[in-house]
Amino acid sequence: MTRPYDIAAFRALIGPIKCEDNPVLVKQKSRDFYWYSPVLKRQLEPVTADLVVTPQDERQVATILAAAHELAIPVTARGGGTGNYGQAMPLDGGVLLNLIEMNRILAIAPGRVVCEPGALLADIDKAAAASGQELRMFPSTRATASIGGFIAGGSGGVGSITWGGLRDFGNVLRLRVMTMEASPRTLELTGADLHKAVHAYGTNGIITEVEMPLTAAYDWVDVIVGFDSFDAAAAYGLALGEQDGILKKLVTVIAAPAPARYFLRHRSIIPEGKSVVLAMVAPHALDAFEAFTRPVKGAELLFVSSRAPRETLAGLPPNYELAWNHTTLRALRVDPKITYLQVRYPEDGGLAMIRRIHERFGDEAVGHLEIIRFNGRIGFAGLPLVRFTTEERLQALIDEHEAMGAMVFNPHRYTLEEGGMKQTDATQLAFKRDTDPQGLLNPGKMIAWADPDFDYASGQNFLFPGLEARALAAQS
Amino acid sequence: MTRPYDIAAFRALIGPIKCEDNPVLVKQKSRDFYWYSPVLKRQLEPVTADLVVTPQDERQVATILAAAHELAIPVTARGGGTGNYGQAMPLDGGVLLNLIEMNRILAIAPGRVVCEPGALLADIDKAAAASGQELRMFPSTRATASIGGFIAGGSGGVGSITWGGLRDFGNVLRLRVMTMEASPRTLELTGADLHKAVHAYGTNGIITEVEMPLTAAYDWVDVIVGFDSFDAAAAYGLALGEQDGILKKLVTVIAAPAPARYFLRHRSIIPEGKSVVLAMVAPHALDAFEAFTRPVKGAELLFVSSRAPRETLAGLPPNYELAWNHTTLRALRVDPKITYLQVRYPEDGGLAMIRRIHERFGDEAVGHLEIIRFNGRIGFAGLPLVRFTTEERLQALIDEHEAMGAMVFNPHRYTLEEGGMKQTDATQLAFKRDTDPQGLLNPGKMIAWADPDFDYASGQNFLFPGLEARALAAQS
């Protein structure tokens, strides 16, 4: 059922808080990069909020939540809108809570930054630079992504090779979260309580302040190493990752033909047919990096940013904007048929499994690996570039990956569970009962709330009734 | 043969360079902490130089080396004298090159420090603190050890849980090394060339300048967690080590009864019968550390330095002075019969092997583990506290460790090879041919030079003829 929300009453209740109801602009702000997935592109196309509300401070957030609660209007929080699974898309319409103007950086101390959720990752790093510090990790969308959105909708990224993922203890220090009630409360989450709200898509509270760890900042050097085979590149990428003394922020492995074909501005740097390893290396680790790389058979050092002429650098995106899901983005720009998967390979035998999978699927799933730290160990995450044909074939590809022993975090699903561990997160569900008893925050994203009896083993996808009703309404 | 060196001629050649020939003081400076090993204590007792020379700069080092070369007098370099295997003990007498007064810190930049070899680790950290930086790693003898001595004679230590060992690429950036020739040359070693001189005991060049990587400095918090069994402590220590987001500088596991028995100043903190995990945790990681620790079965948080009353802290050594070989030192002070081994356990199944070894030897080898990063993975190094009876039994203990699958780096040997990989290091040997063609630098430490045909599989220990001759002379 598409609910007729009383938006006029809501606006009256929130008074002078900044609003936008121009349908074109509202629809624009109701979107993220869900269109990387042809499945989500089809499913989420009709999604739009009724109103975008842009609070300037926590008090305004409280006013908005209280008003929406009174009128039973759904509220979906959004930061930079850089998600890839519709994390911030309001499946059931209602209010889009645009937090991007709550972007103040409140405090910086050794190892810590406190800020509002709308602060951009790039701006936090700029502010932290004065003390020689920077964030431990950021997504490839660093320039436009907000810290709150990263915490609520992300998992890790550039920096995960050193620090692991966002959900690891210590990678988020504190969250201040507001509840969706008649009189919204603010809760301070630290320690194990952080798991309640990290990567919950804003379904169980609105993040109004964050405290994140900082680490030493460096003028990272972008390097690109070429190989004649994906295999050799993957083995080198892992070995480079395992060099404990060579400080890196990124090690990415991308199979030919993707680099030469999709990294258009790097065409003079990356020859056709080369698989590449992209890395971000600390300046004081560059010498060790080269000493490590030089004797590696077949390794060809194609690019070192600190030695590149200024004219060359001017036209180039940084390495991190070739990595993680920016690899997919660049592929998509050249070939709109490209989509991707998210894969984890096992610690033991990962390299051999990657080789088998690569041989099996060839150009249908071009290898893309991110070297990350996971439970104290260096390993592979994968975001293979998939040539999309049909949804059935995409599912078959996923099934075959899993049959071969890899774990797929399906990026073609808009729910927390189906994109994640495919099971109820009891902690997040219990927290939602406490913070959002009426189920008004980002409806449709937490299956455990919407359909507690949903059977993950059934092979069926979860379809949020609200979204289905909207899709039908849009067609009629 | 004990060689009669022409010390008078040497002094004439070096002119006003600072010297000491008082036999008591010379003998004092010819020593390190070799006496942790009853074997080395017996073997190295008679070792002494003829003269201690204390240069103030590189030019004086060149003068000293040229003079010693002309007169064929051995030269053994020494820093703080905190080695444990006689690294800086002059087996064949001659000149003790005391570098401790060449201790200037020349430059500090983001990620780097340049200094002379005699700079104390603690003093480098003090100087780096102004820029919010510190060394990646230091031995437990930080207060008195020099950076040159650490590089020439050490392997890693506090900080290796994050950065691996000194010999890993990137953990030493540059060494300036002077050759032992008629006209000493200075060589700049970087990249793979660093392996020529790192951990070579000064046998193939005198380090006159070093460049080391720096990392972010924190006011590390000392924590102590108690357990009722060594097993539980070891499993927790490993798991804590594997927490990628919890920034630590040290995780040490010590089996009961050692902590209560040997850490005298911690008696009010560590109850009898407790095995402990000692850690150094970054202040901004303390909350995550506690959240991680709280649910661990049997874990009891005994101490957190940042919450301890000032009176308590005043009497306590820092955690790192309970760890690594300071564990052995504290045990020795209480029970002079204690010595130790240096063990590496395999990555896979290390915990089970440690359990088997601990069960087998009981109180004869009390468990002491250091959690370190090795090839991209968190694992165990061991420095078990051994109750010494005879040299034969000590060797049997080593053999049994190896038979059970552990790797022993024998700390009861004064040679590079026998304390290490038990094979010729071709790189270091070739470098010695270039830098010290007459074999005058720290004689007797590199078997590959002294006896190229030595058979490591023979079961015989290498005995340096010069040392044997001195021992006989001393007895007669």
Side-chain angles (χ1 to χ4, degrees), chain B residues 252 254 263 322-331 368 370 385:
Chain B
T252 303
I254 306 171
F263 298 162
L322 305 176
W324 289 89
N325 237 349
H326 262 69
T327 313
T328 317
L329 176 61
R330 287 179 194 282
H368 167 199
E370 296 290 344
L385 297 166

Side-chain angles (χ1 to χ4, degrees), chain B residues 240-261:
Chain B
L240 176 60
E242 288 173 340
Q243 286 290 312
D244 302 313
I246 300 178
L247 182 60
K248 312 157 285 283
K249 192 135 185 162
L250 176 76
V251 177
T252 303
V253 185
I254 306 171
R261 186 174 294 174

Side-chain angles (χ1 to χ4, degrees), chain A residues 136 191 242 244-245 287 373 376, chain B residues 136 191 242 244-245 287 373 376:
Chain A
R136 286 181 171 181
E242 288 173 339
D244 302 314
D287 183 58
R373 201 166 258 154
Chain B
R136 286 181 171 180
E242 288 173 340
D244 302 313
D287 183 59
R373 199 165 260 154

Side-chain angles (χ1 to χ4, degrees), chain A residues 145-158:
Chain A
S146 72
I147 186 71
F150 185 40
I151 294 167
S155 300
V158 183

